[in-house]
Amino acid sequence: MRDDEITRVRALRQAGRHEEHRAAACALVVASPADVEAQLEAAYGLDRAGEEQRAIVHYEAARRLGVPASERRPFTVGLGSTLRNVGRHADAIAVFAEAVAQDPDYPPFAAFLALALDAAGRSHEALAVLLGCTLAVARPDAFDGYERALTGYQREMG
């Protein structure tokens, strides 16, 4: 696959030309199914268009092909969130739990893990994860000295 084709398709997405992006990305993946970047663009385009089941096929293909490090975060959020949206809660939880374990300093992973836990009916755990995420990213003294107490409650919930 030529880099200029991927660049052109990615530019459509970044410009907010979502329908054009989806069509171009799907055409690109048909022409080059073994190209991970084409699979990613198709997944992102279909996901944005609300075609989650079709997007999952491309997310899974990209995973098998090996997602580049530069795309790992958006890929993980996209895949996990899409799995949650289609009711595959256990799979979404697994994706986000692994992501949090591997990259604990990236708050979106914890926030999306909390959403997946809540969708699975595990609201107590979801609250614990979200409270931990909130405490981790809060500015110093944001909780007016109650950080220690809140951290204790968060540990009790988790």
Coordinates of all heavy atoms in Angstrom, one line a residue, residues 8 14 23 26 42 44 56 58 62 65 82 88 93 114 121 123 133 144-145 152 155:
R8 N -4.1 10.2 2.4 CA -5.3 10.9 1.9 C -6.6 10.5 2.6 O -7.4 11.3 3.0 CB -5.5 10.5 0.4 CG -6.7 11.1 -0.3 CD -6.8 10.6 -1.7 NE -7.0 9.2 -1.8 CZ -8.2 8.5 -1.6 NH1 -9.3 9.2 -1.3 NH2 -8.3 7.2 -1.8
Q14 N -9.6 13.3 9.5 CA -9.2 14.4 10.4 C -9.9 15.7 10.0 O -10.0 16.6 10.8 CB -7.7 14.5 10.3 CG -7.0 13.3 10.9 CD -5.5 13.3 10.7 OE1 -5.0 13.9 9.7 NE2 -4.8 12.5 11.5
A23 N -16.3 5.7 3.0 CA -16.3 5.1 1.7 C -14.8 4.8 1.2 O -14.6 3.8 0.7 CB -17.0 6.0 0.7
C26 N -13.2 2.0 3.3 CA -13.7 0.7 2.9 C -13.2 0.2 1.6 O -12.8 -1.0 1.4 CB -15.2 0.7 2.9 SG -15.9 0.7 4.6
A42 N -10.8 1.7 8.1 CA -12.1 1.2 7.9 C -12.8 1.0 9.2 O -14.0 1.3 9.3 CB -12.0 -0.2 7.2
Y44 N -12.4 2.7 12.0 CA -12.7 4.0 12.5 C -13.9 4.6 11.7 O -14.8 5.2 12.3 CB -11.5 5.0 12.4 CG -10.3 4.6 13.3 CD1 -9.1 5.1 13.0 CD2 -10.4 3.8 14.4 CE1 -7.9 4.8 13.7 CE2 -9.3 3.5 15.2 CZ -8.1 4.0 14.8 OH -7.0 3.6 15.6
I56 N -16.1 -3.9 14.0 CA -15.4 -4.9 14.8 C -14.6 -5.9 14.0 O -13.5 -6.2 14.3 CB -16.4 -5.7 15.7 CG1 -16.9 -4.7 16.9 CG2 -15.7 -6.9 16.4 CD1 -18.0 -5.3 17.7
H58 N -13.0 -5.2 11.3 CA -11.8 -4.5 10.9 C -10.9 -4.2 12.1 O -9.6 -4.3 12.0 CB -12.1 -3.2 10.2 CG -12.8 -3.5 8.9 ND1 -12.2 -4.0 7.8 CD2 -14.1 -3.3 8.6 CE1 -13.1 -4.2 6.8 NE2 -14.3 -3.8 7.3
A62 N -7.1 -5.7 12.3 CA -6.0 -4.8 12.6 C -5.2 -5.4 13.8 O -4.0 -5.4 13.8 CB -6.5 -3.4 12.9
L65 N -3.1 -8.2 12.6 CA -2.0 -7.7 11.7 C -0.9 -7.0 12.6 O 0.2 -6.9 12.1 CB -2.5 -6.8 10.7 CG -3.4 -7.5 9.6 CD1 -4.1 -6.4 8.7 CD2 -2.5 -8.4 8.7
T82 N -16.5 0.0 21.2 CA -17.5 -0.6 20.2 C -18.0 -1.9 20.8 O -19.1 -2.2 20.6 CB -16.8 -0.7 18.9 OG1 -16.4 0.6 18.4 CG2 -17.7 -1.4 17.8
R88 N -21.1 -6.7 24.0 CA -20.0 -7.6 24.4 C -19.2 -7.1 25.6 O -18.0 -6.7 25.5 CB -19.1 -7.9 23.2 CG -19.8 -8.7 22.1 CD -19.0 -8.9 20.8 NE -17.7 -9.5 21.1 CZ -16.8 -9.6 20.1 NH1 -17.1 -9.3 18.8 NH2 -15.6 -10.1 20.4
I93 N -14.5 -5.2 28.8 CA -13.8 -5.1 30.1 C -12.4 -5.7 30.0 O -11.5 -5.1 30.5 CB -14.7 -5.9 31.2 CG1 -15.9 -5.1 31.5 CG2 -13.8 -6.1 32.5 CD1 -17.0 -5.8 32.3
A114 N -14.5 1.9 33.3 CA -15.7 2.1 34.2 C -17.0 2.0 33.5 O -18.0 1.4 34.0 CB -15.5 3.5 34.9
G121 N -23.3 -4.3 34.4 CA -24.1 -4.4 35.7 C -23.2 -4.4 36.9 O -23.6 -4.8 38.0
S123 N -21.8 -1.9 38.7 CA -21.7 -0.5 38.9 C -20.8 -0.2 40.1 O -20.1 0.9 40.2 CB -23.0 0.1 39.1 OG -23.8 -0.5 40.1
C133 N -9.6 6.9 39.0 CA -9.2 7.7 37.8 C -9.3 9.2 38.2 O -8.4 10.0 37.9 CB -10.1 7.4 36.6 SG -9.7 8.3 35.1
D144 N -9.9 19.1 48.6 CA -9.9 19.9 49.8 C -9.5 19.1 51.0 O -10.0 19.2 52.1 CB -11.3 20.5 50.1 CG -11.3 21.7 51.0 OD1 -10.3 22.3 51.1 OD2 -12.4 21.9 51.6
G145 N -8.5 18.2 50.8 CA -7.9 17.5 51.9 C -8.6 16.1 52.1 O -8.1 15.4 53.0
G152 N -9.2 5.7 50.4 CA -9.6 4.6 51.2 C -11.0 4.0 50.8 O -11.1 2.8 50.7
R155 N -10.5 2.1 47.5 CA -9.9 0.8 47.7 C -10.9 -0.2 48.3 O -10.9 -1.4 47.9 CB -8.7 0.9 48.7 CG -7.5 1.5 48.0 CD -6.3 1.5 48.9 NE -5.2 2.2 48.3 CZ -4.5 3.1 48.8 NH1 -4.7 3.5 50.1 NH2 -3.5 3.7 48.2

